[in-house]
Amino acid sequence: MASNSHEIVPAHLVVQAMRDNGYKNAAYAIAELIDNSIQAEATEVELLCGEQQVLLEQRQRSRIEKIAVLDNGRGMNVKDLRVALQFGNGNYLEPEKHTGIGRFGMGLPSSSISQCLRVDVWSWQNGVGNAFYTYLDLNEIKNKKITEVPEPIAKEIPDIWHKIGKGFGQSGTLVVWSQIDRCIWKKGKTIIENSEFIIGRMYRKFLETKKVSIRMAAFDLDTSKIIEEKRAFPNDPGYLMEKTSCPEPFHETAMFQEWVDKENSEMIFSINFQEEEHKVTVRFSYAKEEARQAPPGQQPGSLPHGKHAQKNIGVSIVRAGRELEMDQSLVINYDPVERWWGIEVEFPPSLDDLFGVTNNKQSARNFAELINVDIQSMLTDDQSITLFKEELKNEGDPRLPLIEVAERIQKTVKNLRNAIKQQTIGTRTQNKRHQENSAVQVATARTKKRQEEGHQGQSDQDECLPIGEREQLLEQTFTEEGLTEKQAHELAASLVNDGLKYNIQEGKLDTPAFFSVRPQGGVIVVTLNTNHPAYKNLVEVLEQDVEGVDEETLRLRLSNSLEGLKLLLCAWARYEDEQPEQRRPAAQQARADWGTIARDFLEREE
């Protein structure tokens, strides 16, 4: 039967459709409630998860029944309480009020119905005994039992929340979800474990400055027994904060250091938008050297602090002190180096329209689209970057300031990656030199055999020098190649004492050569040029940490390495092909001689 209603869109159908509103999971939906608490100047916020025993498959199991957020904020009067449960309404919709976390008037009802069928709200401004109450129930809306937010009434808060909650103040608000049907986590403890990391990161600035404290507790609804209880610690993806959720030894000290660019540790962009000036701040950081160190046979990424950093990869987009998202557009997913840098972009709510902030406050759509775009791809034929930007400026294109921010980030992240890779020069060699049947040990054995056969090399002459003199020559070479004095001393002593003939290390070389060869102290020092594309395609792709990497990605690494090897051989073939007739035989002979030694070195002993 057709409805006689003249509504453009029937409310009971709209609310059902709005359940799929894009919240990534319950933690992000809960964050909307915490936003409201912080906007209301709460200093104490509590996430309370009530479990109850239910019969499932003939067994009693504990399942989440209620999720609540309690705060000691300003509370709401009857009018504001009713408005708070209306979709698209609120007290922060006007442009002049776009100064805090709230804005869209969608947070409380939208986040709630994304996880549950019913939400009950109590709020008070003159003692908790004077609380007013109202609710939304999707079944009642669907059945058209209610067509508007019920008029708030005076109603006492159930005893269970008084027993569990510790943050009841003279004023405040309690939001309770029930009939939870869309939360992927079935236990209160699981909700807390998964929410702690995200909430700690979202509100790290508020937690660090102690503007707000967030308590999380899981409990049994029938017995009021606390199952899990903890306080949220700041989770800083830039790892510049102290006393955070990062595991030891970096739980009380910063794990990263500031990236200083032109004597500034942060970049401030002045953006003119809608005839007003606004500030956008970009901060860069990268791991301290001690964070990249690990015991022999282990990778720093496999240590607790490395695993923590792996979950914080990307560019943190922060609005009004609260993180919107961790954008991963620039992340090279298969590269473990990515976990060791941090970038934070912070902007005020007045730039919401420019950044393209979504109404669920989970992304900055416009900025995300630009951050990974190659500006060269936006140019027309024969158009310079300068001319392109000038045209955008003349046309008043709002993308221009965002393009400049994104371009600067793209350039800096390359420098960050290089700095991080430089930290491990020498350490990989030291970690590997004790491995059985390593390349340098095999090469040393094969060289001794060639020496016995009468083949002599330039480096062999220094083998007769005193041990101290050999070590001194090697130390000098290693420090020139970029190692610290301590690394150089330890490596030189180890090579001489272990009787190794070769050392393979990495470094930036000002040469087009893929590697350099320096006979010194009886050792042949081979330095792989990290600036050369062959390094990235052949060495780096194979040395990356494999922990947690899926099989398809590993296959891709091997495929890329094989492709790099083939290109390297093609490059040599072209080199021979381009030689003048009188020089070509020498190049061919060099290939044959190298092949003979390579055969000796690579041939496996049965």
Side-chain angles (χ1 to χ4, degrees), residues 43 57 179 184 223 234 262 343 365 421 438 496 574:
T43 57
E57 300 176 352
Q179 299 178 45
I184 60 174
T223 64
K262 294 183 179 179
I343 299 177
R365 187 172 52 246
K421 289 172 183 176
S438 69
V496 174
R574 183 59 184 175

Side-chain angles (χ1 to χ4, degrees), residues 513-580:
F514 172 31
F515 59 91
S516 67
V517 177
R518 293 183 66 179
Q520 197 71 276
V523 175
I524 302 174
V525 179
V526 180
T527 302
L528 303 178
N529 187 0
T530 57
N531 285 332
H532 198 286
Y535 173 82
K536 181 176 182 180
N537 287 282
L538 288 174
V539 181
E540 185 179 62
V541 72
L542 294 177
E543 284 195 335
Q544 289 162 354
D545 193 356
V546 298
E547 182 176 350
V549 178
D550 59 85
E551 189 174 332
E552 183 179 349
T553 300
L554 290 175
R555 282 202 186 97
L556 179 61
R557 287 189 192 177
L558 292 173
S559 175
N560 289 341
S561 183
L562 177 59
E563 186 72 13
L565 176 59
K566 289 178 179 178
L567 289 171
L568 201 64
L569 296 176
C570 290
W572 176 270
R574 183 59 184 175
Y575 164 75
E576 277 192 32
D577 189 50
E578 291 183 0
Q579 295 306 303

